[in-house]
Amino acid sequence: ILVLDDDDNRHACFAKNLVDHDVVHARTYDEAVDAIMNTDEPFSVAFLDHDLNDFGLRSIGYDVSSYSSEARELTGQHFCRHIINFLPRSMFPELFIVHSWNPDGARYMAHDLCSVDANVHVEPFHTLIGLNVSALVGHKPPHNKTSKRDINQ
């Protein structure tokens, strides 16, 4: 399982709820890219935040500023676009859970991932609290899959 988030408290929550799973914790764009591009097997689940407070603005393999003239922060959306462009589909996680509290950012991330038919579930972090996150791992909730139609609404 991959968790991309800049908040240490959220990482602690994920660690507590996913004790029976191997979890890779990434706090920056670069850490997440390194983890997903250098694994031998695909992650079963990737929990993704949008706002990462990552102002390093290093890019790996492409110019992140090309996505927006206002790009000042590397975000979860930059991560999604990187894996869409450079990660073989066979190495995509079975399920992406976008847990960002930023509704617009979450929608854009889900839209990008759905554009390549990835299995995406948008669930803001605060609604994950108390939820058996471990139960989501290894299960594809078809009724929760985000569709392109839902994202554009």
Side-chain angles (χ1 to χ4, degrees), residues 1-4 10-12 14-15 23-27 31:
I1 296 172
L2 174 65
V3 175
L4 172 59
R10 288 188 190 175
H11 279 284
F14 280 113
V23 180
V24 173
H25 295 272
R27 288 166 175 78
E31 289 175 3

Side-chain angles (χ1 to χ4, degrees), residues 54-126:
D54 183 354
F55 293 93
L57 288 181
R58 290 182 306 242
S59 63
I60 298 175
Y62 69 107
D63 179 10
V64 296
S65 65
S66 67
Y67 291 112
S68 168
S69 61
E70 297 295 317
R72 296 187 181 142
E73 172 186 17
L74 290 171
T75 66
Q77 186 174 12
H78 290 113
F79 173 74
C80 291
R81 289 178 176 176
H82 182 90
I83 63 173
I84 287 167
N85 289 323
F86 298 105
L87 186 67
R89 296 299 182 264
S90 62
M91 293 300 290
F92 269 42
E94 292 177 32
L95 175 63
F96 291 92
I97 299 176
V98 180
H99 66 266
S100 180
W101 283 12
N102 177 334
D104 290 334
R107 187 175 74 246
Y108 297 140
M109 290 170 66
H111 180 270
D112 287 349
L113 292 167
C114 282
S115 74
V116 293
D117 295 322
N119 189 22
V120 181
H121 182 76
V122 176
E123 190 73 46
F125 181 80
H126 66 280

Side-chain angles (χ1 to χ4, degrees), residues 11-78:
H11 279 284
C13 273
F14 280 113
K16 179 181 175 185
N17 285 290
L18 297 170
V19 293
D20 296 328
H21 302 278
D22 292 327
V23 180
V24 173
H25 295 272
R27 288 166 175 78
T28 66
Y29 165 88
D30 285 334
E31 289 175 3
V33 166
D34 184 55
I36 205 162
M37 298 301 289
N38 294 305
T39 186
D40 293 330
E41 295 181 21
F43 289 98
S44 56
V45 179
F47 288 94
L48 305 177
D49 188 22
H50 181 271
D51 301 315
L52 300 176
N53 268 331
D54 183 354
F55 293 93
L57 288 181
R58 290 182 306 242
S59 63
I60 298 175
Y62 69 107
D63 179 10
V64 296
S65 65
S66 67
Y67 291 112
S68 168
S69 61
E70 297 295 317
R72 296 187 181 142
E73 172 186 17
L74 290 171
T75 66
Q77 186 174 12
H78 290 113

